Amino acid sequence: MASIKDVAAEAGVSVATVSRVLNDHPSVSEDARTRVLAAVEALGYRPNAVARSLRTDQTRTLGLVISDVLNPYFTELARSVEEEARALGYSVIIGNADERPDLQDHHVRTLLDRRIDGLLVSPTDGGSPLIVDAARAGTPMVFVDRWIPGVDVPVVRSDGRAAVRDLVAHLHGLGHRRLAIIAGPAATTTGSERVEAFRAAMAEYGLPLPDAYIGQGDFQAESGRRVTEGFLDLAEPPEVVFAADNLMALGALDAVRARGLRVPQDIALAAFDDIRWFVHTDPPITAIAQPTGELGRAAVRALVDRIEGRPPQSVTLPARLVVRRSCGEPAHREPPAPEEFPASVEPSPAMNRSQT
Amino acid sequence: MASIKDVAAEAGVSVATVSRVLNDHPSVSEDARTRVLAAVEALGYRPNAVARSLRTDQTRTLGLVISDVLNPYFTELARSVEEEARALGYSVIIGNADERPDLQDHHVRTLLDRRIDGLLVSPTDGGSPLIVDAARAGTPMVFVDRWIPGVDVPVVRSDGRAAVRDLVAHLHGLGHRRLAIIAGPAATTTGSERVEAFRAAMAEYGLPLPDAYIGQGDFQAESGRRVTEGFLDLAEPPEVVFAADNLMALGALDAVRARGLRVPQDIALAAFDDIRWFVHTDPPITAIAQPTGELGRAAVRALVDRIEGRPPQSVTLPARLVVRRSCGEPAHREPPAPEEFPASVEPSPAMNRSQT
DNA sequence: CTGAAAGCGCTTACAG
DNA sequence: CTGAAAGCGCTTACAG
């Protein structure tokens, strides 16, 4: 592959001049510029980004470590992150932790070794020392969706409390009293926050939340299935199962179906995180939708601000309830989806108490 | 951040010795090794991968350019690629083309600039000159899923012909005669192959395939919706719509639902590519499943073979039909999913003519 | 076994 | 405006 030396030779100038032309340095004669550009063209020259990075100490690359690429929520997040990063002149390298702290650390380490300019992370657990150390050591970092408390790192996330309260109100209004939740790992912020929001809302409506109705999942489908089976085996099974993410809702659906039961007649179902397929499942699933695309973009902006020396900002965006039929609501026509939300459904106005 | 010089100073040896210890070079005294390792530990030293790459001319990184990350098929492919690459000591950088040739080229260029060791690509179109040139110039490359004809690059893909024939047999057996297809872009191999396989199977069963029953989609949901609306507007609408990928099937479902029609009573639906949610849609959707994970792994193995100087091999794996209820088949119990396939359904034995 | 030195492909003060 | 030179952080023949 042609190097800058080859271009210099071809153009009859020094490598310094070639470099200047390539970097749009003002002090280059028109003549030199033309010859360099011609040489670049002739040789099909492309600057070696590795060499440039070594010299400039910047890679124009962001690392994104997410907990599970197969989760459509994170896939969409990753996509919006890449989009915004590209718009700002950065590439992104994605590391998929698969909800495993060891894999997460592997990716963080690899990314750090590659000297990425900044790191976007949605931690699988509550306190990877590697991540905490990197942040303390000055690696530009921003948490998205999930975060680690006690570290001075901006957080870009969505607040689901109002939406969870709306959900409980909706369920209560439909006459449901025994509500259960499939929680995410307590070590993750989203895992514990969603249970807490649910517990608070239940209390508000004077509904009990016995321990037996709090199942411990890990955000993966299989755990949703297992926990749901446990619920169904109870002497007094819940009337509603609320899954703290869409994959556990999938598992719950599997479990309900395996027993030959029906949603919502036999048991109602709701999920945190909305996905396009929820409109076409049997029945369409009531869910809490996050402004995923906006979260990804805001996270990139915060990180790039930090990298480029501007003060980064934490951002919290509201999630909102999207009512469908899986809890017993009658079917209704749905308007087309606004771009931001994956599902093509609006909540009834009264339900949507979300605000910034 | 500590550099190799700092480690050398701390350990009281030369940087050459530090490098040898780090690279497990045999000729290092036990004493030197211990001191270097202690220094590495003390300083929290991590080798700079950028510098190492510049020097060794290898990045231990693979590029993967896929047509659409939001398509669960590609998400799963990406995941298996990363997994196998990691097992072989490589990282992977994913570029999402979003079915846009210009974006695809952007990512290919960026990846090449970063001097990745090899490129895995599923081309959005039939002949990006950039990709063809890179292959000719000697960049180790392997095509996955889709490929560009006329270039000497190994192809790892799945052959859906037998499965498509099984599908047509299934539909014919259910009494359907007017079958339509939502095709992918003719410029992609999967786009044209699936139509051709469908056309051939239809001919085998003596069924006509009028032009009006071949809708042109682009593998995205919106095109599935649009084409399906066209079908429904026909004086004689088809009895079955076969979508050439899962996203267009989603769009088709949207269109059918918007008209207040039902699947399969009013119109039957089948899809190429199987996803987990197809088990829970209303109704469960008959689909053709690819061995996605195995494709990703085989592609990585082929690419790494090529990179490391071994002869790479093209691989073709069979897809298989998974019968559900969206075409009129009666419901039936389904066994749990084998790991390789996302959907938890086996085809009836008679249907599955796939072989290697 | 060990170190001095060259060199990977760039960028950027510095001097002219 | 231009070029010679230093240097980013490594690896690796070469000599000892």
Side-chain angles (χ1 to χ4, degrees), chain B residues 130-329:
Chain B
L130 180 61
I131 293 178
V132 173
D133 288 353
R136 299 227 164 98
T139 306
M141 196 180 290
V142 166
F143 291 135
V144 225
D145 184 53
R146 317 200 313 203
W147 83 95
I148 297 177
V151 196
D152 182 28
V153 166
V155 179
V156 174
R157 66 189 192 95
S158 116
D159 182 349
R161 273 174 304 180
V164 168
R165 201 187 320 119
D166 290 346
L167 172 65
V168 171
H170 168 64
L171 296 168
H172 186 271
L174 290 170
H176 296 305
R177 294 296 177 266
R178 299 198 309 277
L179 322 188
I181 183 170
I182 309 178
T188 62
T189 48
T190 48
S192 57
E193 280 173 2
R194 290 171 193 176
V195 188
E196 285 322 311
F198 188 65
R199 194 193 303 278
M202 292 288 278
E204 234 179 88
Y205 282 83
L207 298 175
L209 182 56
D211 285 349
Y213 282 5
I214 304 180
Q216 192 55 57
D218 60 7
F219 284 138
Q220 303 279 352
E222 180 47 36
S223 71
R225 183 200 318 259
R226 181 175 35 74
V227 169
T228 303
E229 277 166 3
F231 287 154
L232 296 173
D233 284 338
L234 254 27
E236 189 165 56
E239 295 159 328
V240 184
V241 172
F242 172 39
D245 86 341
N246 74 80
L247 293 179
M248 296 194 297
L250 172 67
L253 227 34
D254 283 344
V256 170
R257 181 162 181 273
R259 298 263 176 134
L261 300 176
R262 302 194 321 161
V263 175
Q265 295 87 335
D266 300 310
I267 188 157
L269 180 68
F272 205 105
D273 286 340
D274 196 15
I275 65 170
R276 302 185 67 167
W277 292 99
F278 278 173
V279 175
H280 294 294
T281 46
D282 178 24
I285 295 177
T286 292
I288 290 176
Q290 298 191 54
T292 318
E294 192 43 52
L295 286 175
R297 289 188 287 274
V300 170
R301 284 192 296 263
L303 184 57
V304 170
D305 280 343
R306 168 78 175 70
I307 291 170
E308 300 180 353
R310 296 179 296 271
Q313 274 195 301
S314 283
V315 175
T316 304
L317 264 23
R320 44 163 218 163
L321 177 65
V322 178
V323 173
R324 298 202 184 88
R325 292 191 281 110
S326 64
C327 300
E329 187 80 325

Side-chain angles (χ1 to χ4, degrees), chain A residues 4 16 19-20 23 45 48 52 55:
Chain A
I4 196 171
S19 177
R20 288 195 191 96
N23 293 292
Y45 170 73
N48 182 328
R52 177 177 285 175
R55 181 54 230 246

